[in-house]
Amino acid sequence: MALSRKPAGHFAGDVNVDAEGLVGTQSKGPVSKLHVPEASSRPGQTADFSNLDIPPAGITPKPEIDANALDIQSLAYGLVRVLDDDGKALGDWDPQLNADQLRQGLRHMMHVRAYDDRMFRMQRQGKLSFYMKCTGEEAIAVAQGMALEHGDMLFPTYRQQGLLFVRGRPVLDMMCQCLSNSKDNLKGRQLPVLYGWKDDNFFSISGNLATQFSQAVGWGMASAYKGEDHLASAWVGDGSTAEADVYHALLFASTYRAPVILNVVNNQWAISTPQSFASAGTTFAARGLGFNLPSIRVDGNDFLAVYAATKWAADRARAGHGATFIELFTYRSEGHSTSDNPDGYRAKNEAQAWPLGDPIERLKQHLIQMGEWSDEQHDALTEELKQSILQTWKEAVTYGTLEEGPHWPVSTMFEDVYKEMPAHLRKQRQKMGV
Amino acid sequence: MAKMTMIQAINSALDCTMERDSNVMVMGEDVGYFGGVFRCTEGLYQKYGAHRALDTPIAEGGIIAAAIGMGVNGLRPVVEIQFADYIYPGFDQIVSELARLRHRSGGEFFSPVTVRAPCGGGIRGGQTHSQSPEGIFTHVCGLKTVMPSNPYDAKGLLISAIEDDDPVIFFEPKRIYNGPFYGHDVQANVATTWSAHPAGEVPEGHYKIPLGKAATVREGSDITILTYGTMVHVAEAAINISGIDAELIDLRTLLPLDLETITASVQKTGRCVIIHEATRTSGFGAELVAEVQEECFWHLKAPIERVTGWDTPYPHAYEWEYFPEHDRIIEAMQRTLEAD
C-alpha cells in the first residue's frame, strides 16, 4: 500500500514526479499479466500496516483558500494531521477551537457511538431488520458537520449519521425511521438508516451508491445561480469512487466552479473489497488533481484535522473559489452492515492494528492534555449517553416496530409517487381495499 | 397566433416559461451558445444568458444528476438529451433518483425536472438516432411520459411539463420537427408543412395543455386507432387511403394514461388497433392492449391488433421495411374489421 509517495510538508517542487514509482519497464519475457490487487490482510494473517507512510502531525503547511490545485499537489499525496501521538495540536492546520467546541464534538461522537451500539444490538435481537454502524469514522461526519453552516446542504451516504447529531435531529426520530413505525418521517418506505430530513438540509439517502455525489454539485450550482452563499457537501466511500457519478461530480464541480465539498471517506473496505480495487495504487485525493480541483488528504480519525480541512474548503467555496476534493483517510472498524461478517475476508485484528487510532480516544486525550476533560467525566458521559439512548429506544418502540406495527396506514404507500395521485394509483388503492 | 414548426413551438414554450419564472433554465449538450443541434433552444442564450441556457459536458448521467440537485434547490431545469438513444447513461439517475425522490423521502424532497429528448425514426438515423424508448420510461413509477404530435400540442404540453412538480420525460419525434410526416410511400392529399397544417397555428403567449389528456384527432365508428407521435400522421394517412371510418386517438401523454377517452372510444367501435414505432415486445402497446382488454372485453368484436417496429435494432438500409408504414396499418385495420 504505497499510498504516500510525496513528503507531506511541501508545496515547492510539487510538479516534480518521484521517479521511484515509475521505473521497472524493462522487458522480462511475457509482458501482459492480469494484476489483481491484494487486501491489507486476510483471515488467518496478522494485520500489518507498518508500510503505510504516515507523516507526523503539524508538518503540512496550510495554503491560502484561493490556492490553485496544481500549486498544492502535495496535499493530495500527504496527510493533513493536527493531533500528535500525545494528543497535542500542532501546525498551521490547528483550527483553534475552544474547549466548549471540542467537548461538543467529543459528545457528538460519543453519542453516535452509543446510538450505533444500541441499534446494532437491537438488530441482533431481531427488533430491527437492518443496521449500519460508523464505528471508527465518527470524527468525519461530526467534525465536518460542525465546520459547515446550517444553510449548507448535506448529501450523505448511509455512514454519516454523525451529521444528524450535529444538526440536532432527535434520536427518537432516527430510531423511528429505523423501526419503520407510525412516527417514521419516511412513512415506512425506506430501509433503516436511509434517513432524510428536509427541514435541516439533510438530503434523502438513496441505496444507489454515489448518485448523490453529482446531485450535490447541481445543488451547489443552483446556489451559485441564485447568488446565495450556501454550499453543498457530499460524501462517497472509497469503493463507490469507482462509479461514473463520481467522475461526473468532479468534472461538473470543476467546470462550473460549483460551491461544493466532495468528500471521499476512505475506510479501506467496500464490503469485502479492499480500497486497492478503486484507488489504482495512488491516493483517492490524487484523482481530484486531474480535474484541477484542490485536493486534500486528511487523517480522518483526527477531529481537528477533519474540521480544519472542511472549514478551509467551506471558506473557499463561500468566497467563490469553487470546489474542493477531500479524502478522509480512516478505517471501517466493524462489519459493513448487520448483514456482513468481516471475519470472512480480513484478519481479526486489523482494526486494532490500524495506525491512526480511534477518533474518540484521540480527541479525549487532547482535551485531557489541555486540562479540559478527565477520565471521570468521560466515563460519566459514556454512561449518561448510554442511558439516554436506552430511554429513547423504549419510547421509540411505543410508536411501533417493523414486525408488530403500528405503521403508517398501508394506503399511504400510494401517496407521494406523484404530487397528486393519478387515476391508476387511486384504482390500485381501491382494489387493495384500503 | 403564429405559424410555427414544432421546433419553433418548443422554443416558444421554453422562452415563455423562462420569461415568467427565473428558476426555469435549460441545460444540455450544445443547447447554449449554439442553440441546440435541432435549434430548439435557439436565441435563449442570447436572451437569458449563459447560466440560463447552460452548455454542459457530454455526460448524460452528470447532466441529469446536476438537474436533480438544482431541482432540489428550487430551480426548474429543462434538460435536453441530444437524442433519446443517448438517454441510457442517465437512466440510473432518472429511475433510481429523479422518479423516486418524492416517495422515498416521505414527500419531503422533490425535483421538478423536465427531460426533453428527440426520439423516433424515419430520418435515416440508423441504430442510435432513431429509437423510441418510451416504453422503458412508462414502466417507471414516479415519472410522467409525454410525446406530442404537432406544434400546438408540443408547446402546450411542454409548458405543462415544465410547470409540473413531478418529473416529466418529454419525447419529441424529430421526424415531425419541421412538418407532419404521413409515411414514406404515401402520397396523401394532406399538408406536408406545419404552416399548412391547422396544428401549426400556435399562440405566441403562455397556454397549457393538461398532462394525462388524449386528443381525438378524427371521429369514426368502425375502429379505434390508439397512437402517438409521428404515427398519428401516418395513421391518419392510412385511414384516408383505406376509406375506413376509424376513430383516431392521439394519446399525447402515455403516463398517466387517459383511459377514459380510450375506453369510451373502444366501447363505441368494438375494435382497436394500436400503432407505435417502438419495438413490439413489452412495448407501450402491450400495456394498451392489456388495459383495453380489461376495460372493454365485452365490447370487443375482434382481437386487438398492434402495428409496431419489429423486434430488431433500428436498421439503416431497411428503414422503410422497419418503420410501420400505411400498408401494414391498413392490413391490420382490415383484419380487425373482418374478424367477425
Side-chain angles (χ1 to χ4, degrees):
Chain A
M1 284 172 81
L3 288 171
S4 177
R5 284 190 191 139
K6 294 200 165 208
H10 298 85
F11 296 147
D14 270 348
V15 291
N16 294 336
V17 176
D18 182 344
E20 199 179 339
L22 301 175
V23 296
T25 52
Q26 283 196 337
S27 177
K28 294 170 190 163
V31 290
S32 186
K33 186 170 183 290
L34 187 67
H35 169 71
V36 181
E38 288 176 9
S40 41
S41 73
R42 289 300 188 188
Q45 296 177 341
T46 301
D48 178 10
F49 288 108
S50 58
N51 60 345
L52 272 188
D53 188 356
I54 309 286
I59 67 159
T60 308
K62 186 178 179 182
E64 297 299 318
I65 57 167
D66 62 351
N68 293 313
L70 301 186
D71 293 335
I72 54 170
Q73 290 188 54
S74 57
L75 288 179
Y77 296 96
L79 199 62
V80 172
R81 305 183 71 220
V82 173
L83 287 171
D84 72 3
D85 290 346
D86 300 323
K88 286 204 201 82
L90 304 175
D92 295 349
W93 284 95
D94 179 2
Q96 310 282 344
L97 298 176
N98 65 40
D100 283 342
Q101 291 171 308
L102 294 171
R103 276 189 295 262
Q104 186 64 51
L106 183 67
R107 183 188 177 93
H108 283 317
M109 290 198 288
M110 293 167 70
H111 205 179
V112 173
R113 191 164 291 182
Y115 175 71
D116 275 357
D117 286 345
R118 162 65 46 180
M119 298 302 269
F120 186 87
R121 277 190 286 127
M122 293 302 95
Q123 194 280 336
R124 286 293 185 253
Q125 290 179 23
K127 305 277 172 50
L128 293 171
S129 61
F130 180 76
Y131 193 72
M132 302 178 97
K133 302 170 91 168
C134 68
T135 309
E137 303 173 34
E138 293 91 344
I140 293 166
V142 169
Q144 296 204 278
M146 288 175 70
L148 296 171
E149 291 178 9
H150 184 265
D152 299 335
M153 186 73 179
L154 312 173
F155 288 80
T157 75
Y158 45 67
R159 224 186 289 280
Q160 280 81 48
Q161 49 266 57
L163 295 168
L164 288 166
F165 288 83
V166 172
R167 294 248 161 135
R169 180 64 163 169
V171 171
L172 179 68
D173 293 343
M174 295 173 68
M175 288 177 169
C176 289
Q177 191 281 325
C178 292
L179 286 159
S180 282
N181 66 18
S182 63
K183 204 176 152 40
D184 170 13
N185 73 312
L186 307 184
K187 306 176 186 177
R189 293 171 188 159
Q190 284 262 52
L191 275 178
V193 313
L194 300 186
Y195 311 105
W197 192 27
K198 173 97 177 355
D199 287 349
D200 285 270
N201 294 326
F202 183 97
F203 187 65
S204 161
I205 300 174
S206 168
N208 293 64
L209 297 176
T211 49
Q212 78 289 345
F213 216 52
S214 39
Q215 292 165 10
V217 177
W219 197 98
M221 287 167 69
S223 239
Y225 176 102
K226 294 188 286 184
E228 297 169 352
D229 72 347
H230 304 311
L231 61 90
S233 187
W235 288 262
V236 75
D238 48 276
S240 305
T241 58
E243 296 284 2
D245 303 83
V246 171
Y247 192 92
H248 298 153
L250 291 168
L251 178 61
F252 280 61
S254 181
T255 300
Y256 299 109
R257 293 187 196 162
V260 292
I261 304 176
L262 296 171
N263 304 289
V264 175
V265 180
N266 177 7
N267 69 11
Q268 315 300 321
W269 290 94
I271 307 185
S272 75
T273 307
Q275 56 79 32
S276 48
F277 279 75
S279 64
T282 180
T283 70
F284 288 96
R287 206 158 295 178
L289 297 177
F291 293 90
N292 202 17
L293 291 175
S295 303
I296 312 178
R297 193 155 160 269
V298 180
D299 177 349
N301 292 12
D302 178 340
F303 183 92
L304 296 178
V306 174
Y307 185 99
T310 308
K311 187 71 173 45
W312 185 86
D315 289 346
R316 185 183 148 71
R318 264 186 258 283
H321 300 305
T324 303
F325 191 54
I326 301 178
E327 175 184 347
L328 300 135
F329 197 63
T330 184
Y331 186 81
R332 196 195 76 210
S333 299
E334 305 220 7
H336 166 72
S337 71
T338 49
S339 307
D340 178 45
N341 174 17
D343 293 346
Y345 50 80
R346 70 186 187 193
K348 260 190 186 307
N349 67 336
E350 220 192 63
Q352 287 72 47
W354 180 246
L356 296 177
D358 179 277
I360 293 176
E361 289 304 315
R362 285 176 66 188
L363 186 57
K364 172 191 171 189
Q365 182 192 22
H366 175 57
L367 272 161
I368 290 174
Q369 185 266 338
M370 288 170 73
E372 295 287 352
W373 196 240
S374 68
D375 283 317
E376 294 71 32
Q377 283 173 295
H378 195 85
D379 293 346
L381 181 56
T382 303
E383 185 58 23
E384 177 200 323
L385 293 170
K386 185 181 167 188
Q387 289 307 321
S388 94
I389 292 282
L390 176 62
Q391 289 310 312
T392 308
W393 171 261
K394 285 178 179 168
E395 186 187 350
V397 294
T398 67
Y399 296 105
T401 63
L402 178 64
E403 295 305 327
E404 289 164 26
H407 311 112
W408 281 70
V410 68
S411 62
T412 61
M413 175 170 71
F414 297 94
E415 294 170 2
D416 303 323
V417 181
Y418 300 91
K419 187 177 185 185
E420 312 285 344
M421 194 180 300
H424 69 285
L425 281 176
R426 281 203 306 276
K427 198 164 133 189
Q428 288 170 27
R429 188 182 62 182
Q430 282 159 9
K431 224 169 192 173
M432 206 179 166
V434 294
Chain B
M1 298 287 260
K3 300 279 187 192
M4 290 190 199
T5 65
M6 200 142 137
I7 289 167
Q8 291 163 334
I10 287 162
N11 185 269
S12 175
L14 295 169
D15 190 10
C16 280
T17 46
M18 288 171 81
E19 198 162 270
R20 284 163 69 102
D21 181 354
S22 64
N23 290 320
V24 176
M25 48 87 69
V26 301
M27 62 190 290
E29 298 157 17
D30 307 300
V31 305
Y33 185 86
F34 179 59
V37 295
F38 291 107
R39 318 309 304 154
C40 288
T41 55
E42 188 164 30
L44 300 176
Y45 176 100
Q46 288 72 17
K47 185 169 175 183
Y48 298 104
H51 68 303
R52 294 192 66 192
L54 188 68
D55 281 314
T56 65
I58 304 171
E60 290 77 11
I63 296 167
I64 303 277
I68 293 171
M70 291 171 166
V72 169
N73 199 355
L75 302 190
R76 273 183 195 278
V78 186
V79 168
E80 179 178 304
I81 299 296
Q82 204 159 75
F83 287 84
D85 315 59
Y86 303 130
I87 204 167
Y88 310 119
F91 199 57
D92 185 40
Q93 286 285 350
I94 292 173
V95 176
S96 309
E97 302 293 319
L98 182 59
R100 299 187 182 176
L101 181 55
R102 184 189 293 277
H103 194 259
R104 81 163 192 241
S105 68
E108 289 190 4
F109 290 100
F110 70 98
S111 187
V113 174
T114 302
V115 181
R116 294 178 42 241
C119 72
I123 56 143
R124 289 292 190 208
Q127 293 209 4
T128 55
H129 298 80
S130 305
Q131 294 171 34
S132 298
E134 67 274 8
I136 300 175
F137 293 89
T138 54
H139 189 57
V140 179
C141 53
L143 297 179
K144 294 177 177 173
T145 302
V146 176
M147 195 189 297
S149 70
N150 61 65
Y152 180 84
D153 285 358
K155 179 171 174 182
L157 287 166
L158 183 55
I159 291 175
S160 288
I162 294 167
E163 294 180 357
D164 199 292
D165 280 347
D166 293 318
V168 180
I169 310 298
F170 194 89
F171 286 119
E172 300 166 1
K174 57 189 161 308
R175 184 62 188 79
I176 55 173
Y177 264 159
N178 286 306
F181 177 72
Y182 297 93
H184 176 59
D185 56 355
V186 174
Q187 301 299 315
N189 185 22
V190 283
T192 54
T193 61
W194 285 123
S195 62
H197 191 285
E201 288 280 341
V202 180
E204 284 166 285
H206 179 276
Y207 69 95
K208 288 162 81 164
I209 293 175
L211 305 182
K213 287 282 174 208
T216 303
V217 177
R218 180 193 190 281
E219 293 197 359
S221 54
D222 292 347
I223 303 180
T224 298
I225 308 283
L226 301 179
T227 189
Y228 48 89
T230 302
M231 299 315 292
V232 169
H233 307 284
V234 181
E236 191 178 16
I239 292 166
N240 290 342
I241 292 165
S242 68
I244 295 167
D245 187 23
E247 183 146 299
L248 177 58
I249 294 176
D250 177 358
L251 298 177
R252 301 199 292 198
T253 301
L254 308 188
L255 189 75
L257 186 63
D258 183 358
L259 207 51
E260 269 180 46
T261 300
I262 293 170
T263 54
S265 177
V266 178
Q267 287 176 5
K268 178 177 76 177
T269 63
R271 297 169 207 274
C272 182
V273 174
I274 291 157
I275 307 169
H276 60 59
E277 285 183 63
T279 53
R280 181 182 176 91
T281 301
S282 301
F284 189 65
E287 180 64 26
L288 291 170
V289 170
E291 289 289 351
V292 169
Q293 187 273 140
E294 280 178 33
E295 299 293 323
C296 309
F297 184 79
W298 301 107
H299 295 83
L300 286 174
K301 299 173 195 162
I304 304 162
E305 286 265 352
R306 271 185 289 167
V307 184
T308 70
W310 307 117
D311 280 340
T312 70
Y314 203 109
H316 190 234
Y318 310 117
E319 175 115 58
W320 305 115
E321 286 76 17
Y322 177 93
F323 190 90
E325 285 267 48
H326 78 285
D327 52 343
R328 284 170 60 198
I329 296 169
I330 293 171
E331 281 168 29
M333 289 196 291
Q334 283 167 347
R335 271 198 306 277
T336 306
L337 284 169
E338 291 160 8
D340 66 346

